[in-house]
Amino acid sequence: MVKNTSTLLLTLATAALCGCGNNSMKSDPYEILTATFGHLEDGREALIYTLSNANGVTAKITNYGATLVSLKAPDRDGTIEDLLHGYDSVDGYAGSKNPYFGASVGRFGNRIKDGKFTLDCKDYILATNNDPGGIPCHLHGGVDGFNRRIWTATLRPESNAITFTYVSVDGEEGYPGTLSAEITYQLNDNNELTWTAVATTDAPTVLNMVHHPYWNLSGDHSTSINDHILMLPCDRYLPTNVGLIPTGELASVTGTPMDFTQPTQIGLRVNDQFEALEFAGGYDHCWVLEQPNVNGLALAARVKDPKSGRTMEVHTNQVGVQFYGGNFLSPEDFQGEFASGKGGLAYEFRTALCLETEGFPDAPNQANFPSTVLRPGETYEHRMLYHFSAE
């Protein structure tokens, strides 16, 4: 979402007054812990930071990729467990098989057809680092996107927040313009974690920064998420071709396995004979948020694990939400010293889900989609709020 600077400041001020994503009524600073998370091959140190609230909820974030490493929250009995797939050190996140666990991805999250787009009559060529259906495309910012960069962290204990900054130079991964980006994580005592991405550019560019956590609300990461109950307040979704590039159609979910307008068990229809599911090997599509709140936050998804009672709501100011059901997770990808998941676990097929709020995939090539162009003098802002509870 693009705003001018004055509008952005008004939005953030309004959110602060409403207490949305903020720690109101607390005068003492929070304690933010800092520790070493390992070293990259070139010797640079990665750090990990811990935010905690009064209810035992903790969030661990590393400056490598501005990545959410862990989110621990209680179930209905008060048992606190980690709800995120990931790794025990930076080695896994820097490895070639990391499927963007918890990452802040960019410049453009999701896919761009053929790794090409035209902006202001000039053609740009990006890396084609993904090939679903054997058709190459550009995915999540390229070979060395934002998820593989060390970000500069500023701790804000007065608001229990951390702001990460990164400057992406003109031509990085093929994108035009020097982009100044910042990402802020904030945890409050209402069990809300906010992720806010803000950016400006010195030349026209395309931008779709996306947060990419893999959730299993049961806390048992050896179990399938097919038993989770999902609700998406979306009457339409974006069908794709076999290469998972949107066709341009905004199709109705009515009467299809894509209908989550009422709470529905994820695995109930995932194996139905339906073209969209067959192309993607399950759920991996963008749903259209019918009533986006560009100046605030609107509900994008609600998911519940019936066994633990844990429930997560996702709120955003974006126009779409990508629901991915972990179709490409495979235990073969988690073998070896630096590839193993947390605690040495080899993550199985469909043991996690993603709910990524975003601009539409391939928007730079689809004139009928909301624009993802950012120009000088404009400010990009993507806001997400995760609210955790137990029923």
Side-chain angles (χ1 to χ4, degrees):
M1 199 61 59
V2 176
K3 301 181 178 183
N4 63 39
T5 303
S6 60
T7 302
L8 171 62
L9 293 176
L10 177 60
T11 299
L12 296 178
T14 302
L17 289 173
C18 294
C20 182
N22 290 275
N23 294 288
S24 57
M25 307 302 293
K26 180 171 172 61
S27 58
D28 298 330
Y30 290 80
E31 181 180 18
I32 301 176
L33 303 179
T34 304
T36 297
F37 197 46
H39 293 80
L40 302 177
E41 288 186 354
D42 61 9
R44 288 180 298 163
E45 182 182 36
L47 299 175
I48 190 166
Y49 308 91
T50 303
L51 302 175
S52 303
N53 75 2
N55 306 313
V57 175
T58 60
K60 292 182 180 289
I61 308 112
T62 176
N63 60 341
Y64 183 78
T67 296
L68 182 63
V69 172
S70 170
L71 191 291
K72 294 184 178 181
D75 66 7
R76 62 166 67 93
D77 298 319
T79 303
I80 295 175
E81 293 174 299
D82 190 359
L83 310 184
L84 286 178
H85 276 18
Y87 302 100
D88 289 325
S89 74
V90 73
D91 298 296
Y93 292 95
S96 61
K97 294 184 177 181
N98 173 24
Y100 306 93
F101 282 150
S104 297
V105 300
R107 293 188 189 187
F108 202 94
N110 218 313
R111 294 180 172 88
I112 295 178
K113 181 182 179 181
D114 298 327
K116 300 175 182 179
F117 68 92
T118 300
L119 178 60
D120 295 341
C121 300
K122 184 175 180 180
D123 297 331
Y124 294 93
I125 306 297
L126 311 174
T128 50
N129 58 322
N130 189 239
D131 59 349
I135 302 175
C137 66
H138 178 80
L139 178 68
H140 291 336
V143 177
D144 289 310
F146 288 179
N147 62 299
R148 293 190 176 275
R149 307 290 178 171
I150 291 282
W151 294 60
T152 299
T154 300
L155 307 188
R156 297 164 50 200
E158 72 285 351
S159 55
N160 208 26
I162 307 171
T163 296
F164 297 92
T165 57
Y166 176 70
V167 177
S168 175
V169 299
D170 180 39
E172 184 176 284
E173 289 295 312
Y175 290 94
T178 293
L179 189 85
S180 297
E182 69 175 42
I183 289 169
T184 298
Y185 288 89
Q186 184 177 37
L187 178 65
N188 68 22
D189 287 337
N190 294 323
N191 294 349
E192 295 169 339
L193 178 72
T194 57
W195 178 92
T196 305
V198 176
T200 58
T201 182
D202 67 356
T205 192
V206 296
L207 189 62
N208 188 28
M209 294 170 67
V210 173
H211 197 214
H212 207 291
Y214 282 66
W215 302 99
N216 186 319
L217 299 186
S218 75
D220 181 351
H221 296 270
S222 66
T223 62
S224 173
I225 50 81
N226 279 347
D227 290 337
H228 283 36
I229 307 298
L230 176 66
M231 192 282 290
L232 301 172
C234 306
D235 294 329
R236 295 176 295 172
Y237 76 102
L238 306 184
T240 71
N241 61 23
V242 70
L244 303 188
I245 298 297
T247 63
E249 178 187 5
L250 277 64
S252 172
V253 302
T254 302
T256 78
M258 315 303 279
D259 188 349
F260 287 92
T261 53
Q262 297 298 317
T264 303
Q265 186 182 63
I266 289 172
L268 183 64
R269 301 164 301 183
V270 69
N271 295 317
D272 284 9
Q273 292 183 337
F274 185 71
E275 185 176 75
L277 298 178
E278 292 170 354
F279 283 169
Y283 293 110
D284 190 8
H285 303 81
C286 182
W287 272 257
V288 179
L289 293 172
E290 303 298 335
Q291 296 180 326
N293 188 343
V294 297
N295 294 314
L297 294 171
L299 179 67
R302 180 183 295 112
V303 62
K304 177 181 178 179
D305 170 49
K307 293 181 180 178
S308 68
R310 290 191 185 93
T311 300
M312 180 179 73
E313 289 188 353
V314 181
H315 300 254
T316 189
N317 66 341
Q318 297 296 291
V319 295
V321 56
Q322 184 89 8
F323 164 43
Y324 167 56
N327 309 316
F328 299 114
L329 289 173
S330 170
E332 286 76 20
D333 290 335
F334 298 94
Q335 306 298 325
E337 181 180 1
F338 298 137
S340 298
K342 293 176 183 176
L345 186 63
Y347 296 122
E348 300 277 351
F349 178 63
R350 293 182 182 161
T351 54
L353 63 89
C354 301
L355 293 163
E356 312 152 40
T357 63
E358 61 185 3
F360 290 168
D362 199 38
N365 294 314
Q366 309 233 18
N368 62 316
F369 284 179
S371 175
T372 52
V373 174
L374 180 69
R375 298 186 180 278
E378 298 174 337
T379 300
Y380 170 92
E381 184 197 15
H382 180 170
R383 298 181 64 215
M384 295 184 72
L385 183 148
Y386 304 97
H387 180 239
F388 300 92
S389 60
E391 300 175 356

